[in-house]
Amino acid sequence: MSDFNRRQFIKLVGGITAAGLSGLAFALPAKPKARVVVVGGGYGGATAAKYLRLFDPGVQVTLIEKARQYVSCALSNEVLAGDRTLESLTIGFDGLARHGVQVVHDEVTDIDAVKKQVKTKQGKSFAYDYLVVSPGVTFRWGDIEGYDEDATELMPHAWDAGPQTLLLKKQIRAMPDGGTLIITAPPSPYRCPPGPYERAAQVAHYLKAHKPKCKVLIMDAKSVFSKQTLFEQGWKQHYGDMITWVSSADDGQVFGVEPENGVVLTEFDEHKADVVNVIPAQKAGPIAERSGLSDESGWCPVDQRTFESTLHKGVFVIGDACIAGAMPKSAYAANSQAKVCAAMIAARVNGQAEPEPSYVNTCYSLIAPDHGISVAAVYRLKDGTIQSVQDSGGVSPTEATPQQRAREALYAHSWFRNIVGDIWT
Amino acid sequence: MITIRIAVGLLGCALIVTETAGAGPVDPAMVSHTCAGCHGTLGASLGDAPVIAGLPEQYFLETMLNYKTGSRYSTIMGRLAKGYSQAEIEAMARFFAAQPWTTQPQQTDPAQVERGKELHTSRACAACHGPDGTPSAPNPAIPSLSGQFAEYLVTQLEDYRDPGTAIPPAALPMRAMVQGLTDKDFRALGQFYASQQPPAANEQ
């Protein structure tokens, strides 16, 4: 892959326009070099689609995504706090179309890795030379007794941004002062490791101002969690003893719920709350399992150099759904993996050597509007697995001034603006 | 690729540091695209993280190496810079230097911009940074400030002023320059440079 810059990019557009195809930002050549189908238009899939077009405009890219608009989970905890609208997290696909990506709103129901085609709910089929699958996560219904899809109307998960987020927000708004919110945190691995703990902080930020006698209880299936020291420090600093975390070692793991009664059940105890937010255990999105891309772990094994499935050649799995060594299931990780995957496909299409991969993750959490914390890592492929580079990365320092925490909050919002721009525009 | 660097430790003894930068040669685009999630596609940030598209190669390289060693304070860049080898940072420096300086219109307050312009003049900033924040002749050590994000510029000015914050030796003159300036002055300066959109910024 050669260096690519905007100048070459504009030259190319100009060339096509000069050829009499004005009106089209990108005209597809009569016969594309290769046909790539991307399944899923979230942080992973949309990045792959855009960057494939940037790397090689001769490649035909079709993105198949059920939703007309994507709603970002990242920053959706601020909606619960009341500091942000869901609309501000809602993104359309016009930007991808401007890069020459063919966006199809449909649902892939079947992947035929032998015939190299996908079939959709609307009865269409799409042939491909390379398939990129970025299906995100789905829940392991049944792991918590009594928690099924109907129960989400009483005890929202709010782990897909959208109506569930608004339902949880509404319930929290209706809570009496002195009431209790229980958040059940899932076992690893799951989408957005610090998410449940940021959620506790963002809800507390609202409660502190409106219902200061309320309590937030996190019932955890784990005995440690992401950025733990920084969260515990920030919770105490801003919200006193409003937030309590219960480790799995202290009977924190929830095994059952009674949605009608607001009750959660642990091994030895039961807890009643005014609002219960169940974040269930997770696995790769439905299409992964249905098409044999996931293994008994529920996640998709891939060659971590290219993200090509080890179960189906010619199919690449990126984002939350794949097993990516030391990388967490985060938006930035999906964005980074998608670029590596797109570069590998572009190299193959052009018969070039596959470049040495480089991956990164940066993940911000907001404890209060002016208090951000982060975790970051740079990764390389070593012995076939993605490993973080020694002596690099890590979390924000425990000792920091309010000014430094405020800068990280500024950069958290900056991150959202830029990653959305990098993906969907 | 393995590079061997010989560093002289505090006690004067030579240490051999082996740096494994991955098995294959560094791909400039591959390593540079990792920055885009925070700094925008090809480094053309949408704010408030700084624009890095079009930074002078030498400035980029020195900045990253200073982050890596901790000679320049950062919230997060130190942790990230430590993950890249010298060869990778050199490749990024060339990659971003080859991009055009691409800025975004920012909302600025005319009174603040005016105040910032006065400071820019009275403090003789133009001597190094040019009349509008862009050096009159390209300078490998001085980045353009024209159109850079105001919030970012303020953070840098704060770091220059605070004697407890690490800044690289090359920036020490800035520490002297900003003494006596207030937070309000910093905001005004930030607004002034932010308001200075380089000519034909988006047509290069």
Side-chain angles (χ1 to χ4, degrees), chain A residues 1-7 10 50-51 54-55 305 332 335-336 339-340 343-344 355-364 374-378 380-382 389-397 403-404 407-408 410-411 413-423 425, chain B residues 19-31 33-42 44-50 53 73-76 78-85 88 91-92 94-95 98-100 102 151-152 154-156 158-159 161-162 165 202-204:
Chain A
M1 189 170 56
S2 62
D3 283 17
F4 168 85
N5 67 37
R6 188 171 279 107
R7 226 171 264 127
I10 288 166
K50 171 175 163 177
Y51 272 77
L54 292 187
F55 291 150
R305 162 179 289 277
Y332 207 132
N335 170 264
S336 178
K339 290 173 188 175
V340 172
M344 299 300 174
E356 183 63 25
S358 176
Y359 329 75
V360 72
N361 177 55
T362 292
C363 167
Y364 286 100
S374 63
V375 61
V378 178
R380 291 194 180 120
L381 192 75
K382 208 176 166 194
V389 178
Q390 228 182 344
D391 301 323
S392 75
V395 297
S396 309
Q403 185 193 45
Q404 290 163 343
R407 279 194 199 175
E408 291 227 276
L410 177 77
Y411 289 136
H413 292 129
S414 170
W415 167 83
F416 180 69
R417 237 179 340 266
N418 275 302
I419 202 162
V420 166
D422 187 41
I423 298 174
T425 60
Chain B
E19 232 172 33
T20 310
V26 174
D27 185 285
M30 174 68 75
V31 290
H33 288 315
T34 62
C35 310
C38 289
H39 289 281
T41 305
L42 302 172
S45 176
L46 304 175
D48 296 304
Y73 169 76
S74 66
T75 53
I76 199 168
R79 287 178 267 156
L80 289 164
K82 285 189 183 103
Y84 296 100
S85 68
E88 286 171 323
M92 287 177 186
R94 280 192 297 274
F95 183 92
Q99 309 302 329
T102 309
E151 294 274 8
Y152 166 73
V154 170
T155 66
Q156 299 310 295
E158 287 169 351
D159 289 353
R161 187 178 57 191
D162 174 19
T165 300
N202 297 311
E203 292 164 28
Q204 286 174 50

Side-chain angles (χ1 to χ4, degrees), chain A residues 280-303:
Chain A
Q282 293 156 39
K283 59 182 179 180
I287 190 63
E289 194 169 75
R290 209 179 308 136
S291 49
L293 290 166
S294 57
D295 65 16
E296 65 285 347
S297 74
W299 305 100
C300 304
V302 293
D303 172 352

